[in-house]
Tab-separated table of all heavy atoms in Angstrom:
chain	number	residue	atom	x	y	z
A	356	LEU	N	-35.210	-22.064	12.655
A	356	LEU	CA	-34.148	-21.513	13.498
A	356	LEU	C	-33.518	-22.626	14.342
A	356	LEU	O	-32.305	-22.800	14.346
A	356	LEU	CB	-34.708	-20.421	14.416
A	356	LEU	CG	-33.795	-19.967	15.553
A	356	LEU	CD1	-32.540	-19.295	15.003
A	356	LEU	CD2	-34.543	-19.036	16.509
A	357	ARG	N	-34.350	-23.398	15.046
A	357	ARG	CA	-33.842	-24.496	15.862
A	357	ARG	C	-34.194	-25.800	15.156
A	357	ARG	O	-35.355	-26.070	14.895
A	357	ARG	CB	-34.453	-24.479	17.259
A	357	ARG	CG	-33.808	-25.479	18.228
A	357	ARG	CD	-34.462	-25.416	19.594
A	357	ARG	NE	-34.180	-24.152	20.254
A	357	ARG	CZ	-33.394	-24.017	21.325
A	357	ARG	NH1	-32.789	-25.075	21.841
A	357	ARG	NH2	-33.199	-22.842	21.882
A	358	ILE	N	-33.167	-26.585	14.846
A	358	ILE	CA	-33.392	-27.822	14.104
A	358	ILE	C	-33.058	-29.055	14.936
A	358	ILE	O	-32.977	-30.155	14.414
A	358	ILE	CB	-32.605	-27.840	12.777
A	358	ILE	CG1	-31.099	-27.702	13.021
A	358	ILE	CG2	-33.104	-26.740	11.839
A	358	ILE	CD1	-30.256	-27.898	11.764
A	359	SER	N	-32.854	-28.864	16.233
A	359	SER	CA	-32.627	-29.991	17.138
A	359	SER	C	-33.922	-30.324	17.861
A	359	SER	O	-34.828	-29.493	17.998
A	359	SER	CB	-31.534	-29.649	18.152
A	359	SER	OG	-31.782	-28.406	18.781
A	360	THR	N	-34.032	-31.551	18.342
A	360	THR	CA	-35.214	-31.988	19.056
A	360	THR	C	-35.189	-31.431	20.482
A	360	THR	O	-34.132	-31.021	20.986
A	360	THR	CB	-35.283	-33.520	19.133
A	360	THR	OG1	-34.217	-33.966	19.990
A	360	THR	CG2	-35.131	-34.148	17.752
A	361	PRO	N	-36.339	-31.416	21.163
A	361	PRO	CA	-36.367	-30.967	22.559
A	361	PRO	C	-35.466	-31.814	23.462
A	361	PRO	O	-34.996	-31.332	24.493
A	361	PRO	CB	-37.841	-31.133	22.942
A	361	PRO	CG	-38.584	-31.018	21.649
A	361	PRO	CD	-37.691	-31.659	20.628
A	362	LYS	N	-35.226	-33.068	23.081
A	362	LYS	CA	-34.391	-33.957	23.909
A	362	LYS	C	-32.894	-33.759	23.659
A	362	LYS	O	-32.072	-34.285	24.418
A	362	LYS	CB	-34.751	-35.421	23.633
A	362	LYS	CG	-36.150	-35.824	24.042
A	362	LYS	CD	-36.348	-37.333	23.957
A	362	LYS	CE	-36.145	-37.844	22.534
A	362	LYS	NZ	-36.339	-39.321	22.437
A	363	SER	N	-32.538	-33.040	22.610
A	363	SER	CA	-31.125	-32.855	22.259
A	363	SER	C	-30.382	-32.154	23.401
A	363	SER	O	-30.856	-31.146	23.941
A	363	SER	CB	-31.014	-32.042	20.975
A	363	SER	OG	-29.663	-31.860	20.611
A	364	ARG	N	-29.229	-32.671	23.774
A	364	ARG	CA	-28.451	-32.069	24.862
A	364	ARG	C	-27.794	-30.769	24.449
A	364	ARG	O	-27.417	-29.961	25.301
A	364	ARG	CB	-27.381	-33.053	25.365
A	364	ARG	CG	-27.956	-34.300	26.006
A	364	ARG	CD	-26.939	-34.976	26.923
A	364	ARG	NE	-25.678	-35.265	26.268
A	364	ARG	CZ	-25.433	-36.380	25.561
A	364	ARG	NH1	-26.397	-37.287	25.406
A	364	ARG	NH2	-24.254	-36.579	25.020
A	365	ILE	N	-27.613	-30.550	23.144
A	365	ILE	CA	-27.134	-29.259	22.658
A	365	ILE	C	-28.135	-28.729	21.636
A	365	ILE	O	-28.776	-29.505	20.926
A	365	ILE	CB	-25.717	-29.346	22.040
A	365	ILE	CG1	-25.732	-30.174	20.746
A	365	ILE	CG2	-24.710	-29.885	23.029
A	365	ILE	CD1	-24.426	-30.104	19.967
A	366	ALA	N	-28.278	-27.427	21.584
A	366	ALA	CA	-29.147	-26.817	20.590
A	366	ALA	C	-28.422	-26.766	19.256
A	366	ALA	O	-27.219	-26.464	19.200
A	366	ALA	CB	-29.538	-25.408	21.020
A	367	VAL	N	-29.118	-27.065	18.185
A	367	VAL	CA	-28.566	-26.942	16.838
A	367	VAL	C	-29.436	-25.931	16.097
A	367	VAL	O	-30.655	-26.104	15.998
A	367	VAL	CB	-28.551	-28.295	16.094
A	367	VAL	CG1	-27.899	-28.123	14.721
A	367	VAL	CG2	-27.812	-29.352	16.913
A	368	LEU	N	-28.804	-24.872	15.605
A	368	LEU	CA	-29.532	-23.746	15.034
A	368	LEU	C	-29.078	-23.444	13.611
A	368	LEU	O	-27.948	-23.774	13.217
A	368	LEU	CB	-29.322	-22.479	15.877
A	368	LEU	CG	-29.581	-22.561	17.381
A	368	LEU	CD1	-29.266	-21.227	18.034
A	368	LEU	CD2	-31.015	-22.956	17.663
A	369	VAL	N	-29.952	-22.799	12.858
A	369	VAL	CA	-29.617	-22.229	11.552
A	369	VAL	C	-29.872	-20.733	11.663
A	369	VAL	O	-31.011	-20.298	11.840
A	369	VAL	CB	-30.465	-22.825	10.418
A	369	VAL	CG1	-30.044	-22.216	9.079
A	369	VAL	CG2	-30.347	-24.337	10.392
A	370	VAL	N	-28.809	-19.937	11.567
A	370	VAL	CA	-28.923	-18.485	11.712
A	370	VAL	C	-28.288	-17.826	10.493
A	370	VAL	O	-27.061	-17.855	10.336
A	370	VAL	CB	-28.227	-17.987	12.998
A	370	VAL	CG1	-28.396	-16.475	13.133
A	370	VAL	CG2	-28.794	-18.697	14.225
Side-chain angles (χ1 to χ4, degrees):
L356 168 65
R357 189 180 292 250
I358 59 172
S359 51
T360 68
K362 295 190 299 180
S363 181
R364 295 201 306 274
I365 67 171
V367 183
L368 308 178
V369 181
V370 181

